[in-house]
Amino acid sequence: MDKLKLHTPNLTATNIEKLASLFPNCVTEAKDDNGQLKRAIDFDLLRQELSEHIVEGPRERYHLDWPGKREALLAANAPIAKTMRPCREESINFETTRNLFIEGDNLDALKLLQETYLGRINVIYIDPPYNTGEDFVYRDNFAGDTSSYLRESNQVDDSAARLVVNPESNGRFHSEWVSMMYARLKLARNLLRDEGVVFISIDDNEARNVRNICDEIFGEENFIAQIVWEGANKNDASQIGVSHEYVALYAKNRSAVPREWNMRKEGVDEALKEIARLVKVHGKNYDTASEELAGWFRAMKAKPVFGLRRFRYIDARGAYKEDDPTAPGGRRFELKNPLTGGVIPLRRNRGWGFDQAKGEADLRDRTIGASWYSCFA
């Protein structure tokens, strides 16, 4: 049996949807008389869209703004009457461990860490709830004047705990998420050392807003990179199967961050130890040493060091791997093989991946010949 509708259509919402289809740039978010966020129309922008000359309006400036920004600032700055309670019975080596696991509201935890860890953290990694719509649920305990705002907008339960479900049709879709992130990132920045960095995982839904928030809190000049990493491909995609997400990377003070970040590959120490042993056993008999090194790598198939198996050749400089010195569309010039005197042939549509001076110098040093190789870094 079909249920009767007991209310008439919301014509204002219908009209906003019609305008949004024509002028999506004029759609914004605003608060109604009860303090609740809703979709709205920026009438100044709409007037400009319908005008053939510049329309007078509020003074323009480049800034990040949204309904709830002041509440987010209040949430970040408001003091709390809480403390951390140790759980010795659930801990391992409580007196000597250098690890700390905190269970509780992350906004409160960030505030409690301000005194002890202010300006002392090297790296922060944040994996926030992705704003995907129906599954975006988070809790907050805002202090101070925000409590009345939350009660009026029906965003708290009977125990005053905040529970927000954020469907995409809701006018709060972006504003609520940005408010949640803004307060936490503002506090997180205080914990970083001058050379400290923060990594933030995010997907397409809010990647743009993460950049906007961090540009304001950390400063645009302290943006380092937006890393793309490949995840699982979704088979239910409507148009394009997106198989990647992002990690936004910011520094507290980029000029203080070391220019080069090096991470030693797993298994390198084990490989170098074996290479040193082979050189000691075989001396300058590099062909035999290389053959035994290749066999050693094959025997390591179940270990991480197997990932370095391309470095299976040894000469006076150490271990190296074969590589192709050419590249599609590379530079085309003649290089002569120092062993035969003949010109080293180039395949069609390929050229050298370096200039002629470097190529000739490498040939003299026997860095390249029949193959190209590079040493361990």
Side-chain angles (χ1 to χ4, degrees), residues 57-128:
R59 181 170 179 155
E60 296 174 328
R61 60 191 178 98
Y62 186 83
H63 71 294
L64 176 63
D65 200 10
W66 70 94
K69 183 175 184 179
R70 282 176 291 183
E71 283 87 350
L73 284 167
L74 177 62
N77 297 329
I80 57 173
K82 296 184 179 181
T83 188
M84 292 189 189
R85 179 171 53 86
C87 297
R88 294 176 180 270
E89 66 280 2
E90 298 180 20
S91 303
I92 299 176
N93 301 326
F94 184 86
E95 299 295 341
T96 58
T97 183
R98 300 181 62 187
N99 302 310
L100 182 64
F101 181 86
I102 302 172
E103 183 177 358
D105 183 277
N106 50 31
L107 187 66
D108 291 344
L110 285 167
K111 291 183 178 183
L112 292 171
L113 290 172
Q114 295 294 304
E115 184 174 351
T116 307
Y117 290 94
L118 188 69
R120 297 181 60 186
I121 305 297
N122 290 316
V123 179
I124 294 175
Y125 172 71
I126 300 174
D127 188 9

Side-chain angles (χ1 to χ4, degrees), residues 217-278:
I217 292 175
F218 292 89
E220 191 173 353
E221 68 278 6
N222 290 314
F223 170 71
I224 295 178
Q226 181 162 290
I227 304 166
V228 178
W229 68 276
E230 186 176 3
N233 192 15
K234 297 178 181 179
N235 295 323
D236 59 347
S238 298
Q239 287 84 30
I240 296 177
V242 177
S243 60
H244 67 275
E245 293 179 1
Y246 309 95
V247 179
L249 174 56
Y250 279 80
K252 186 173 185 179
N253 179 5
R254 188 176 183 182
S255 62
V257 177
R259 181 174 178 83
E260 294 184 4
W261 290 349
N262 296 317
M263 183 177 69
R264 200 166 183 80
K265 291 183 178 179
E266 193 174 6
V268 166
D269 292 332
E270 189 177 0
L272 290 176
K273 184 177 179 180
E274 176 63 15
I275 291 161
R277 186 190 71 80
L278 292 172

Side-chain angles (χ1 to χ4, degrees), residues 23 45-52:
F23 308 104
L45 277 179
L46 182 61
R47 287 172 60 207
Q48 188 62 66
E49 286 282 4
L50 301 175
S51 177
E52 296 180 351

Side-chain angles (χ1 to χ4, degrees), residues 29 37 66-68 138 171-180:
E29 296 174 351
L37 289 163
W66 70 94
Y138 65 92
R172 296 186 294 267
F173 182 67
H174 290 294
S175 294
E176 288 289 355
W177 192 90
V178 171
S179 291
M180 183 269 294

